[in-house]
Amino acid sequence: MTTGWSLYVIFLVVLNIVGCAWLLWWTSKRRGDEARNDSETTGHVWDGDLTEYNKPLPRWWIILFWLTIVYSVGYLVWYPGMGNFSGTSGWTSAKEHDADKAEADARLADAFGRFDGMPIDEVAQHEEALAFGARLFQNHCAQCHGSDARGAKGFPNLTDGDWLWGGAPEQILATIVDGRQAAMPALGAAIGGDVGVTEVAAYVQSLSGIKADPALAEAGKTKYAGVCAACHGAEGKGNPILGAPNLTDDTWLYGSDFATISEGIRSGRSGMMPAHGPIIGETRSRLVGAYVWTLSHGQDAEPPDAP
């Protein structure tokens, strides 16, 4: 908070406290004419005989109001509430958060510390760990991948067998902990403008069995080999190291229609999976990773040496 805003806040706080004290003093004092006539009314009468009198507040009530004002002043001295003044107690919401987080982390360490460093496919054999991982998924992952983990346009489906960065346990864990940054560069100019985009889009559709104009696809094949194969491979099967998708299957992150493919080639795509290691920690990343791993592996999740 800047000094100007701090002074503004202090001014408002002091004004309110002083104003409340003055209003209490002014309304509670007995004026001279009121002292001579205790029956003075406000002039309000209801139902013919219900009259509102104008009398000072009871003394015990006034004392409570004054105590409230004194308490408010003491509170503002002890806790931060006067602009940049931090209070004599040194309390901050950040310290409170850190203390609560440390306490929660200690409880979680007691409960799940045994999973530290354990591969997520082994963590997946523990029902308690999977239940906790499912709750972590709903809190941190469902916003993008959906509550059922089936994703949406631009957000991968985690329940199938298609993985942009690899579906091995260590690859899934690395994705959660460190995040991923996917970038499809804009290639419209590099492949010959709109004509080249049309030809390459037709060829890309043909790779996955989608009906496309044979002449356009054949023309696009040459351009694909010169530009696109560097990431997606000569056969279009993708590259998990780069996060380049497989173009020969029926899984499409943004859509398989001609307009969507053309737009991706012309303008590029940018996808980002944020790193959750700094947010939920390494052990909890293993728990949610184990849950995600079981979503797509089904019976393969059974441990080889399970009793």
Side-chain angles (χ1 to χ4, degrees):
M1 184 184 301
T2 63
T3 302
W5 278 113
S6 177
L7 293 175
Y8 175 72
V9 171
I10 294 173
F11 171 76
L12 287 182
V13 172
V14 172
L15 180 64
N16 277 273
I17 292 176
V18 173
C20 288
W22 176 85
L23 183 63
L24 179 61
W25 169 81
W26 186 81
T27 56
S28 62
K29 74 174 183 175
R30 182 179 292 271
R31 301 173 184 83
D33 57 342
E34 293 173 359
R36 293 190 298 270
N37 184 8
D38 288 340
S39 63
E40 182 182 354
T41 71
T42 63
H44 300 156
V45 180
W46 294 271
D47 296 334
D49 59 353
L50 294 179
T51 302
E52 180 182 0
Y53 286 91
N54 184 16
K55 295 184 178 181
L57 294 172
R59 186 173 299 277
W60 65 268
W61 203 344
I62 295 175
I63 293 174
L64 287 179
F65 275 125
W66 282 113
L67 289 176
T68 301
I69 293 175
V70 172
Y71 175 82
S72 300
V73 173
Y75 183 93
L76 291 171
V77 171
W78 185 252
Y79 288 106
M82 299 278 284
N84 288 333
F85 176 65
S86 60
T88 57
S89 67
W91 181 94
T92 66
S93 58
K95 290 180 181 179
E96 191 79 5
H97 169 269
D98 292 342
D100 291 344
K101 183 178 182 298
E103 181 181 351
D105 288 343
R107 292 198 304 267
L108 290 172
D110 291 339
F112 301 106
R114 63 185 184 276
F115 300 120
D116 289 347
M118 183 182 294
I120 65 173
D121 52 338
E122 295 183 22
V123 176
Q125 313 314 319
H126 299 267
E127 184 176 349
E128 181 187 13
L130 286 182
F132 195 81
R135 292 194 292 271
L136 284 170
F137 181 90
Q138 294 301 323
N139 289 336
H140 298 279
C141 313
Q143 295 88 338
C144 294
H145 295 285
S147 59
D148 59 357
R150 294 186 181 277
K153 185 175 181 179
F155 302 99
N157 182 350
L158 304 179
T159 66
D160 58 19
D162 190 86
W163 296 85
L164 292 175
W165 302 91
E170 63 276 7
Q171 292 170 320
I172 295 175
L173 180 61
T175 297
I176 297 171
V177 173
D178 302 321
R180 299 290 188 183
Q181 179 65 58
M184 163 74 179
L187 299 174
I191 59 177
D194 290 342
V195 174
V197 168
T198 299
E199 294 171 345
V200 173
Y203 176 68
V204 168
Q205 282 191 314
S206 70
L207 288 175
S208 61
I210 299 175
K211 186 177 180 180
D213 183 282
L216 289 176
E218 185 61 30
K221 181 177 181 180
T222 302
K223 293 182 173 65
Y224 173 92
V227 179
C228 311
C231 293
H232 294 281
E235 298 179 353
K237 294 187 178 297
N239 186 347
I241 297 177
L242 302 175
N246 184 349
L247 304 178
T248 65
D249 57 19
D250 59 354
T251 301
W252 296 84
L253 188 59
Y254 293 95
S256 60
D257 60 281
F258 186 82
T260 299
I261 295 176
S262 298
E263 178 62 22
I265 297 171
R266 180 183 297 105
S267 304
R269 300 287 185 186
S270 179
M272 193 268 288
M273 161 73 179
H276 281 69
I279 301 173
I280 61 177
E282 199 268 349
T283 297
R284 276 178 283 182
S285 294
R286 291 182 183 276
L287 299 177
V288 71
Y291 170 73
V292 169
W293 188 77
T294 61
L295 294 177
S296 61
H297 285 73
Q299 294 301 316
D300 293 337
E302 291 297 329
D305 300 322

